[in-house]
Amino acid sequence: MHYRLLGNSGLDVSLLSFGTGGPKVFTESELDETGQDAIIRYCLDQGINLFDTSQGYGDSESSLGRAFVGVPRDRYVLATKWGMYRLADDRSEVEIYADPEVLRRSIEESLRRLRTDYIDIMFFHGLRPEDYDVVYDRFGPVMAALKEEGSIRCIALSERMGEDLEHEATIHALEHHPDFWDVTMLRYALFNQSAASRALPLCVGHGVGVLNMAPVRIILSDPALLLREVARWKAEGTIPPDGLPDDGPLDWLVHADTESVASAALKFAADDPGISTVLTGTRSRVHLDANIRALERPELPAPDGERVRRVLGGLREFR
Ligand SMILES: NC(=O)c1ccc[n+]([C@@H]2O[C@H](COP(=O)([O-])OP(=O)(O)OC[C@H]3O[C@@H](n4cnc5c(N)ncnc54)[C@H](OP(=O)(O)O)[C@@H]3O)[C@@H](O)[C@H]2O)c1
C-alpha cells in the first residue's frame, strides 16, 4: 500500500481508502454485522487506514464504531459528514438548517456512534456551490470552534457529485477562504476529468487534501450500460466517433498489470499530484483485493493515459 500526505493536515493516508456510502450504503448491503466487521478489519490488515462515512449513510457510523472496538485510535483516520439540508416544515422544499447549533449537536451524535472523542475529517456533505456563502457564514464559526476544542481535526467539504460537475464548490471555497479548509472530496475519474484543470491545482497550491470519490461507480460496473453510453456519447459528439471501438470500448486499457477496466479506472483516479487517496465503495472481498492490487502501481501506462485524456476528456458524467 502506498501512502500520501493529506495536504497540510499532517495525516499520512493510504492511497486506497474505504467508503461506506455509494450506490449501496454499507449497512444496507448484503453484509450482516459480522461481514461488515470482517471487511473493515481486512482493510486494516491490508494497510487501508482511512474510512469514510456520514451521518446520512444509514447506520454506517455505528457500524464503523463497532468494527474498530479494540483497535488503537491512531491506526485509523475517520472521515464523516454532516448534511446541512432539511425538509421545510410543510415538506414542500429543501432548506438549509437555520440554527447553527444543529451542527454541533449532530457532531456530538456522530462521535457517540463512532465511539471516539475526535473526528479526523469532518465534512459538510454535498455542498451546493450556490449555498456556499450561507453555509460558510452560518456554520463555519461552529466548525472552527469544534476544531479549536479538539472534537474535529480537519474541516472539509464534499461536492454534490451529480450536480457540481465543474467543481465549483471546491473552487469557490479555495478562492475565498483557503485558510479555512483542510480537505475536500471531489470526483476525478475517467468520465469526468475536469478537476485536473482548476480544482486540483488549487488544492495543491493551498495544501488542501483531496479524497477522490467513486472511481468505478455505476457505468463502469455494468458492461451493457457502458456499451449503451459509449454509443450515446459518440452520437452526441462528446467523444470522437472513431475514438473507441463499439465492442469492448475500454478493453484496450486491460494489459500488463491492469487487470480490468475497473483497475484502469482506479489507476487513473490516483494519477494526479493533487489526489491524496481514492475511495472505494466495494462490498466484495474479490473486488477489494483487485482494487488494492490496482494501486500498487498507481498510474496508467503513458500512452493509455494520453488516450484516456484525449478521447474521454470532454465528458462530464457522474454515474
Ligand atoms: N458527495 C459525497 O460526499 C459522496 C458521493 C459519492 C461517494 N462518496 C464516498 O465515496 C465512497 C466511494 O464511492 P462509491 O461507493 O461510489 O465508489 P466506487 O467503488 O466507485 O463504486 C462502488 C460500485 O462499484 C463497484 N466496484 C467497485 N470496485 C469494483 C471492481 N474492482 N470491479 C467491479 N465493480 C467494482 C461496486 O460493486 P461491488 O460492491 O460488487 O464491488 C459498487 O457497485 C462512498 O462509499 C462514499 O463514502 C461521497
Side-chain angles (χ1 to χ4, degrees):
M1 182 64 64
H2 294 277
Y3 295 83
R4 291 183 184 171
L5 282 173
L6 184 68
N8 291 343
S9 70
L11 293 169
D12 219 6
V13 295
S14 51
L15 186 50
L16 189 71
S17 44
F18 187 83
T20 59
K24 272 186 240 160
V25 169
F26 192 49
T27 48
E28 293 162 10
S29 68
E30 60 284 358
L31 296 170
D32 62 11
E33 288 189 1
T34 309
Q36 293 164 25
D37 292 357
I39 204 156
I40 297 298
R41 293 298 185 117
Y42 184 73
C43 285
L44 282 171
D45 289 345
Q46 301 308 308
I48 292 173
N49 71 354
L50 194 162
F51 297 83
D52 178 65
T53 183
S54 169
Q55 149 253 23
Y57 294 165
D59 295 326
S60 298
E61 286 186 328
S62 301
S63 172
L64 287 182
R66 187 188 61 243
F68 288 126
V69 167
V71 180
R73 184 63 183 85
D74 60 1
R75 274 201 63 202
Y76 57 96
V77 173
L78 279 178
T80 192
K81 314 189 191 77
W82 173 69
M84 66 295 281
Y85 300 105
R86 48 159 262 155
L87 268 183
D89 288 338
D90 65 3
R91 306 184 75 76
S92 60
E93 59 184 75
V94 170
E95 62 183 20
I96 298 170
Y97 283 103
D99 177 6
E101 289 305 312
V102 175
L103 168 59
R104 179 181 286 275
R105 290 196 290 275
S106 178
I107 290 180
E108 283 165 4
E109 287 295 300
S110 291
L111 287 166
R112 188 183 54 73
R113 288 189 290 265
L114 289 162
R115 306 189 201 196
T116 182
D117 50 13
Y118 67 90
I119 291 161
D120 298 279
I121 309 169
M122 186 66 220
F123 283 98
F124 289 103
H125 194 171
L127 178 57
R128 290 196 169 94
E130 60 270 29
D131 296 330
Y132 177 89
D133 293 328
V134 172
V135 168
Y136 178 83
D137 289 346
R138 194 172 295 167
F139 302 106
V142 181
M143 275 291 199
L146 288 162
K147 186 175 175 183
E148 186 69 27
E149 292 161 24
S151 306
I152 65 176
R153 297 212 159 153
C154 298
I155 300 178
L157 73 87
S158 82
E159 295 183 349
R160 199 120 190 133
M161 192 171 80
E163 298 170 21
D164 189 4
L165 299 176
E166 300 288 346
H167 315 290
E168 288 175 37
T170 293
I171 291 168
H172 186 86
L174 298 193
E175 285 180 345
H176 290 82
H177 308 108
D179 297 336
F180 179 77
W181 299 102
D182 301 299
V183 173
T184 191
M185 184 186 295
L186 50 72
R187 190 178 195 216
Y188 170 65
L190 287 183
F191 300 155
N192 185 357
Q193 305 171 16
S194 62
S197 55
R198 286 182 72 200
L200 289 173
L202 269 174
C203 291
V204 171
H206 291 296
V208 167
V210 178
L211 275 63
N212 188 7
M213 56 182 156
V216 178
R217 197 72 180 186
I218 292 169
I219 298 177
L220 284 175
S221 52
D222 181 344
L225 179 61
L226 176 64
L227 283 185
R228 289 200 299 279
E229 290 303 303
V230 168
R232 185 170 69 82
W233 295 332
K234 285 183 182 178
E236 286 173 356
T238 38
I239 61 173
D242 57 353
L244 296 176
D246 292 329
D247 289 327
L250 296 177
D251 288 356
W252 48 273
L253 287 165
V254 183
H255 64 105
D257 73 338
T258 306
E259 298 171 16
S260 66
V261 175
S263 299
L266 276 127
K267 288 177 186 290
F268 181 82
D271 190 8
D272 184 286
I275 302 297
S276 317
T277 182
V278 178
L279 276 160
T280 180
T282 185
R283 307 295 173 240
S284 141
R285 184 77 71 90
V286 172
H287 289 165
L288 182 59
D289 283 336
N291 296 350
I292 291 168
R293 285 195 301 276
L295 293 190
E296 281 170 8
R297 195 171 69 87
E299 66 271 323
L300 291 172
D304 292 354
E306 189 277 323
R307 186 173 174 190
V308 159
R309 281 179 258 273
R310 181 166 44 79
V311 175
L312 303 175
L315 291 172
R316 297 290 180 270
E317 175 57 63
F318 65 89
R319 289 167 301 150

